[in-house]
mmCIF file of all heavy atoms in Angstrom:
data_model
loop_
_atom_site.group_PDB
_atom_site.id
_atom_site.type_symbol
_atom_site.label_atom_id
_atom_site.label_comp_id
_atom_site.label_asym_id
_atom_site.label_seq_id
_atom_site.Cartn_x
_atom_site.Cartn_y
_atom_site.Cartn_z
ATOM 1 N N ALA J 456 12.642 -7.561 -8.541
ATOM 2 C CA ALA J 456 12.419 -8.867 -7.918
ATOM 3 C C ALA J 456 12.260 -9.952 -8.983
ATOM 4 O O ALA J 456 12.843 -11.048 -8.874
ATOM 5 C CB ALA J 456 11.180 -8.818 -7.017
ATOM 6 N N ALA J 457 11.464 -9.663 -10.020
ATOM 7 C CA ALA J 457 11.249 -10.647 -11.085
ATOM 8 C C ALA J 457 12.523 -10.864 -11.889
ATOM 9 O O ALA J 457 12.867 -12.009 -12.243
ATOM 10 C CB ALA J 457 10.112 -10.182 -11.997
ATOM 11 N N GLY J 458 13.233 -9.780 -12.189
ATOM 12 C CA GLY J 458 14.451 -9.890 -12.983
ATOM 13 C C GLY J 458 15.554 -10.647 -12.278
ATOM 14 O O GLY J 458 16.282 -11.440 -12.899
ATOM 15 N N LEU J 459 15.710 -10.443 -10.969
ATOM 16 C CA LEU J 459 16.685 -11.210 -10.196
ATOM 17 C C LEU J 459 16.362 -12.697 -10.229
ATOM 18 O O LEU J 459 17.255 -13.546 -10.318
ATOM 19 C CB LEU J 459 16.717 -10.728 -8.746
ATOM 20 C CG LEU J 459 17.458 -9.429 -8.449
ATOM 21 C CD1 LEU J 459 17.145 -8.963 -7.034
ATOM 22 C CD2 LEU J 459 18.973 -9.617 -8.606
ATOM 23 N N ALA J 460 15.066 -13.009 -10.162
ATOM 24 C CA ALA J 460 14.641 -14.419 -10.124
ATOM 25 C C ALA J 460 15.031 -15.173 -11.387
ATOM 26 O O ALA J 460 15.346 -16.369 -11.335
ATOM 27 C CB ALA J 460 13.133 -14.496 -9.896
ATOM 28 N N VAL J 461 15.006 -14.497 -12.534
ATOM 29 C CA VAL J 461 15.289 -15.193 -13.806
ATOM 30 C C VAL J 461 16.690 -14.897 -14.334
ATOM 31 O O VAL J 461 17.042 -15.288 -15.447
ATOM 32 C CB VAL J 461 14.235 -14.826 -14.882
ATOM 33 C CG1 VAL J 461 12.837 -15.243 -14.433
ATOM 34 C CG2 VAL J 461 14.284 -13.329 -15.226
ATOM 35 N N GLY J 462 17.498 -14.183 -13.524
ATOM 36 C CA GLY J 462 18.873 -13.930 -13.931
ATOM 37 C C GLY J 462 19.076 -12.745 -14.854
ATOM 38 O O GLY J 462 20.165 -12.582 -15.412
ATOM 39 N N TYR J 463 18.050 -11.905 -15.031
ATOM 40 C CA TYR J 463 18.219 -10.693 -15.838
ATOM 41 C C TYR J 463 19.219 -9.755 -15.153
ATOM 42 O O TYR J 463 20.025 -9.106 -15.809
ATOM 43 C CB TYR J 463 16.863 -10.008 -16.024
ATOM 44 C CG TYR J 463 16.883 -8.827 -16.971
ATOM 45 C CD1 TYR J 463 16.977 -9.006 -18.347
ATOM 46 C CD2 TYR J 463 16.789 -7.525 -16.491
ATOM 47 C CE1 TYR J 463 16.979 -7.922 -19.222
ATOM 48 C CE2 TYR J 463 16.785 -6.427 -17.341
ATOM 49 C CZ TYR J 463 16.890 -6.641 -18.712
ATOM 50 O OH TYR J 463 16.899 -5.555 -19.572
ATOM 51 N N TRP J 464 19.113 -9.660 -13.824
ATOM 52 C CA TRP J 464 20.166 -9.052 -13.005
ATOM 53 C C TRP J 464 20.758 -10.153 -12.138
ATOM 54 O O TRP J 464 20.039 -11.014 -11.634
ATOM 55 C CB TRP J 464 19.601 -7.944 -12.107
ATOM 56 C CG TRP J 464 19.148 -6.736 -12.855
ATOM 57 C CD1 TRP J 464 19.927 -5.772 -13.416
ATOM 58 C CD2 TRP J 464 17.790 -6.344 -13.123
ATOM 59 N NE1 TRP J 464 19.155 -4.808 -14.023
ATOM 60 C CE2 TRP J 464 17.836 -5.132 -13.851
ATOM 61 C CE3 TRP J 464 16.539 -6.893 -12.816
ATOM 62 C CZ2 TRP J 464 16.697 -4.468 -14.274
ATOM 63 C CZ3 TRP J 464 15.396 -6.239 -13.234
ATOM 64 C CH2 TRP J 464 15.471 -5.042 -13.957
ATOM 65 N N ASP J 465 22.068 -10.131 -11.956
ATOM 66 C CA ASP J 465 22.731 -11.204 -11.218
ATOM 67 C C ASP J 465 22.796 -10.933 -9.723
ATOM 68 O O ASP J 465 22.683 -11.855 -8.917
ATOM 69 C CB ASP J 465 24.160 -11.412 -11.751
ATOM 70 C CG ASP J 465 24.161 -11.984 -13.161
ATOM 71 O OD1 ASP J 465 23.255 -12.787 -13.469
ATOM 72 O OD2 ASP J 465 25.055 -11.623 -13.947
ATOM 73 N N THR J 466 23.015 -9.672 -9.350
ATOM 74 C CA THR J 466 23.206 -9.344 -7.931
ATOM 75 C C THR J 466 22.480 -8.044 -7.589
ATOM 76 O O THR J 466 22.192 -7.222 -8.462
ATOM 77 C CB THR J 466 24.696 -9.145 -7.600
ATOM 78 O OG1 THR J 466 25.168 -7.957 -8.251
ATOM 79 C CG2 THR J 466 25.525 -10.347 -8.042
ATOM 80 N N ILE J 467 22.258 -7.843 -6.275
ATOM 81 C CA ILE J 467 21.620 -6.598 -5.851
ATOM 82 C C ILE J 467 22.580 -5.419 -5.983
ATOM 83 O O ILE J 467 22.139 -4.272 -6.013
ATOM 84 C CB ILE J 467 21.066 -6.700 -4.409
ATOM 85 C CG1 ILE J 467 22.172 -7.023 -3.403
ATOM 86 C CG2 ILE J 467 19.931 -7.709 -4.337
ATOM 87 C CD1 ILE J 467 21.704 -6.955 -1.952
ATOM 88 N N ASP J 468 23.893 -5.696 -6.077
ATOM 89 C CA ASP J 468 24.835 -4.594 -6.296
ATOM 90 C C ASP J 468 24.579 -3.904 -7.633
ATOM 91 O O ASP J 468 24.777 -2.686 -7.754
ATOM 92 C CB ASP J 468 26.277 -5.102 -6.234
ATOM 93 C CG ASP J 468 26.705 -5.443 -4.816
ATOM 94 O OD1 ASP J 468 26.132 -4.855 -3.879
ATOM 95 O OD2 ASP J 468 27.579 -6.319 -4.646
ATOM 96 N N GLU J 469 24.149 -4.657 -8.638
ATOM 97 C CA GLU J 469 23.795 -4.049 -9.922
ATOM 98 C C GLU J 469 22.633 -3.070 -9.749
ATOM 99 O O GLU J 469 22.586 -2.021 -10.395
ATOM 100 C CB GLU J 469 23.393 -5.129 -10.933
ATOM 101 C CG GLU J 469 24.508 -6.034 -11.403
ATOM 102 C CD GLU J 469 23.969 -7.074 -12.377
ATOM 103 O OE1 GLU J 469 23.595 -6.704 -13.502
ATOM 104 O OE2 GLU J 469 23.897 -8.254 -11.989
#
Side-chain angles (χ1 to χ4, degrees):
L459 283 168
V461 299
Y463 187 74
W464 291 285
D465 292 326
T466 68
I467 59 173
D468 287 334
E469 291 179 70

